[in-house]
């Protein structure tokens, strides 16, 4: 009995595998592409498929292999690919008056050296690329739209005309800001919350030589300390857990060529202050997790409601950073120091509120304006707007009276002990100083009007104020020509 034994298949040698692979690739190129050609290191054609021969009009009577590639394709760039070893993955080649999309790839030997090049025709007409080109153009359009929206979002929203006020303090503040806009130094805006520091920062940027560049804002008090460094200076991939695999630009880089508005700089962590100082001094940014410095050209406008000098004494703010920021300091006066601006501020704010609500603007009765003028406004213009919005929303009338501002604190009725009276104790009401001052001003205005026969120009001269200021005070105190306290006609 003869037992048949199974002979294992013979393993192919490496040379045979490479030969089979090359043969398979040639068949693949022949079937997939409109044309394919191979040249050797000397630039001679070693193989060309029938489709390519048909495209170039080769009659087939003469051998094409062994010829220089330029004899067959005068515009061919395959020889350059062999010389440089660099592929042309997408290019346009003209053959017989027709434009075709081609790809050129260098071929490497076992030692890694270039031994030739492969050229294939991807599409025999550019029309075949129309869907791809259209999609690319749509992507370019979308990208341009997004970039435009980002650019618009980084432009100044306010101008100097929107910083409202005719008082001496308001006019002086705007004048200082205009001068700052003409210079390149850092600006430090100092003032209580709600005085308009952000508005003025936008106006300075818009009026400066950098007005065409970006305006990037960041609030140091609104971002956690752990993230603030990355927000300001950027972050490199893998700098910390959750940093991602792509680098991200910081606010300084985004503001390159423009202005960075650094709000609430007094809340800047002490550990980050030296890095901020370096950017201001050297104009260089080092991203978190990076080891290379990047040059930036940024003007800084900083703002704070804190007393930085006291913070320096307490050791919570660096003196060198303060001096670097305090090149062009501007103090914004609180509203209680420029009460004469309250009437025109109310008029403007009521128009804004009405525009947002799509209604006609409300007006102020004399007692309503008087109550607003008498209040101290610790929240300044921001608080004033909030009070006006509340009054408009809750009132049934388009004319706001003193009663509509019930949300404001009532007049104090505290008492005092006056010695020498019965029982050494007599209760007398104590009024806030602003009410006493307002009553005294009203009384003196009435006397001046009485002395001048109601001629406001002459009364203003007696009082040492302008006629415009007199009209504002008359409105604030609710004085009219029918006032019974005026003995003569106003």
């Amino acid at each position: 009995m003869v037992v048949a034994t199974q002979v294992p298949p013979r393993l192919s040698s490496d040379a045979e595998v490479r030969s089979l692979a090359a043969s398979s690739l040639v068949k693949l190129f022949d079937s997939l592409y409109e044309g394919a050609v191979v040249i050797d290191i000397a630039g001679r054609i070693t193989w060309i498929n029938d489709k390519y021969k048909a495209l170039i009009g080769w009659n087939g009577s003469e051998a094409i292999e062994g010829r220089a590639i330029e004899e067959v394709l005068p515009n061919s760039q395959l020889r350059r690919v062999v010389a440089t070893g660099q592929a042309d993955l997408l290019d346009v080649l003209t053959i017989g008056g027709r434009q075709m999309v081609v790809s050129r790839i260098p071929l490497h030997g076992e030692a890694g050296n270039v031994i030739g090049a492969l050229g294939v025709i991807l599409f025999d007409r550019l029309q075949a690329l129309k869907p791809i080109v259209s999609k690319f153009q749509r992507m370019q359009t979308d990208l341009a739209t997004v970039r435009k929206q980002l650019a618009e979002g980084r432009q100044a929203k306010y101008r100097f005309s929107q910083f409202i006020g005719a008082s001496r303090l308001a006019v002086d503040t705007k004048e200082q800001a205009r001068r700052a806009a003409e210079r390149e130094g850092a600006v430090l805006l100092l003032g209580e919350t709600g005085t308009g520091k952000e508005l003025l920062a936008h106006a300075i940027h818009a009026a400066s030589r950098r007005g065409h560049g970006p305006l990037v804002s960041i609030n140091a008090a609104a971002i956690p300390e752990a993230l603030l460094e990355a927000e300001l200076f950027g972050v490199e991939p893998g700098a910390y857990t959750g940093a991602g695999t792509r680098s991200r630009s910081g606010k300084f880089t985004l503001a390159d060529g423009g202005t960075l508005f650094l709000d609430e700089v007094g809340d800047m962590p002490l550990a980050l202050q030296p890095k901020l100082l370096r950017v201001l001094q050297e104009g260089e940014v080092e991203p978190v997790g990076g080891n290379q410095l990047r040059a930036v050209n940024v003007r800084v406008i900083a703002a704070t409601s804190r007393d930085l000098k006291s913070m320096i004494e307490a050791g919570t703010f660096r003196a060198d950073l303060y001096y670097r920021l305090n090149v062009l300091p501007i103090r914004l006066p609180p509203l209680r120091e420029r009460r004469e601006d309250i009437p025109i501020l109310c008029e403007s704010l009521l128009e804004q509120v009405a525009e947002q609500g799509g209604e006609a603007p409300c007006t102020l009765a004399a007692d309503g304006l008087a109550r607003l003028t008498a209040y101290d406004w610790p929240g300044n213009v921001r608080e004033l707007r909030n009070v006006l919005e509340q009054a408009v929303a809750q009132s049934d009338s388009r004319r706001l009276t003193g009663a509509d501002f019930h949300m404001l604190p009532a007049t104090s009725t505290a008492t005092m002990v006056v010695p020498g009276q019965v029982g050494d104790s007599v209760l007398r009401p104590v009024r806030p100083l602003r009410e006493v001052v307002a009553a005294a001003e009203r009384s003196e205005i009435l006397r001046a009007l009485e002395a001048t026969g109601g001629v406001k120009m002459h009364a203003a001269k007696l009082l040492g104020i302008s006629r415009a200021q007199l009209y504002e005070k008359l409105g604030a105190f609710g004085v009219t020509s029918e006032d019974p306290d005026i003995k003569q006609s106003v």
Side-chain angles (χ1 to χ4, degrees), residues 74-144:
N75 299 326
S76 175
Q77 299 294 317
L78 282 175
R79 194 183 293 271
R80 177 179 54 81
V81 173
V82 172
T84 63
Q86 300 295 320
D88 287 338
L89 296 181
L90 200 64
D91 197 7
V92 176
L93 178 68
T94 302
I95 301 177
R98 295 166 57 185
Q99 289 185 316
M100 303 181 184
V101 182
V102 300
S103 183
R104 309 181 187 97
I105 304 170
L107 301 176
H108 297 273
E110 293 183 0
N113 57 315
V114 177
I115 61 172
L118 166 70
V120 295
I121 298 176
L122 302 176
F123 302 99
D124 62 349
R125 290 180 178 83
L126 284 179
Q127 188 69 17
L129 284 179
K130 187 175 181 181
I132 299 176
V133 173
S134 298
K135 185 175 182 180
F136 177 76
Q137 289 175 337
R138 286 196 301 270
M139 293 173 63
Q140 288 288 89
T141 303
D142 293 343
L143 179 60

Side-chain angles (χ1 to χ4, degrees), residues 152-159 201-203 205-207 211 213 215:
E152 290 174 351
R154 292 174 182 149
Q155 294 298 311
K157 299 177 182 178
Y158 310 110
R159 301 295 187 271
H202 280 243
H205 169 77
L215 171 64

Side-chain angles (χ1 to χ4, degrees), residues 243-262:
T245 58
R246 299 178 61 185
S247 61
R248 184 163 59 88
S249 299
K251 294 296 190 288
F252 270 101
T253 302
L254 295 176
D256 193 18
T259 302
L260 176 68
F261 174 50
L262 183 55

Side-chain angles (χ1 to χ4, degrees), residues 186-257:
V187 179
L188 181 60
L189 302 177
L190 304 165
E192 298 176 4
T193 179
T195 51
K197 298 187 290 296
E198 183 175 3
L199 187 155
L200 213 56
H202 280 243
I204 292 172
H205 169 77
S208 71
R209 290 190 292 270
R210 297 175 176 265
H212 64 281
L215 171 64
V216 179
S217 301
I218 184 171
N219 189 316
I223 301 175
E225 181 176 346
L227 299 178
L228 184 57
E229 183 179 8
E231 286 293 319
L232 279 172
F233 310 114
V235 61
E236 291 296 326
Y240 51 82
T241 303
T245 58
R246 299 178 61 185
S247 61
R248 184 163 59 88
S249 299
K251 294 296 190 288
F252 270 101
T253 302
L254 295 176
D256 193 18

Side-chain angles (χ1 to χ4, degrees), residues 418-456:
V418 181
Q421 302 296 330
V422 179
D424 282 342
S425 177
V426 175
L427 297 181
R428 293 184 180 179
V430 177
R431 293 187 298 168
L433 284 178
R434 62 176 181 271
E435 293 187 8
V436 177
V437 173
E441 284 188 354
R442 186 179 190 279
S443 175
E444 204 63 18
I445 288 173
L446 293 174
R447 288 184 58 197
L449 289 170
E450 182 178 349
T452 58
V455 180
K456 296 183 178 65

Side-chain angles (χ1 to χ4, degrees), residues 166-200:
S167 65
R168 179 184 58 81
L169 286 176
V171 172
D172 288 349
T173 300
K174 282 202 286 188
E175 183 59 30
Q176 291 180 55
R178 290 183 190 277
R179 288 199 297 269
E182 298 172 356
R183 293 163 174 78
E184 276 290 298
V187 179
L188 181 60
L189 302 177
L190 304 165
E192 298 176 4
T193 179
T195 51
K197 298 187 290 296
E198 183 175 3
L199 187 155
L200 213 56

Side-chain angles (χ1 to χ4, degrees), residues 397-428:
S397 172
R398 306 308 301 170
R399 187 169 178 80
L400 304 177
T401 65
D404 291 312
F405 300 107
H406 56 82
M407 69 288 297
L408 295 178
T411 303
S412 173
T413 57
T415 60
M416 61 180 292
V417 176
V418 181
Q421 302 296 330
V422 179
D424 282 342
S425 177
V426 175
L427 297 181
R428 293 184 180 179

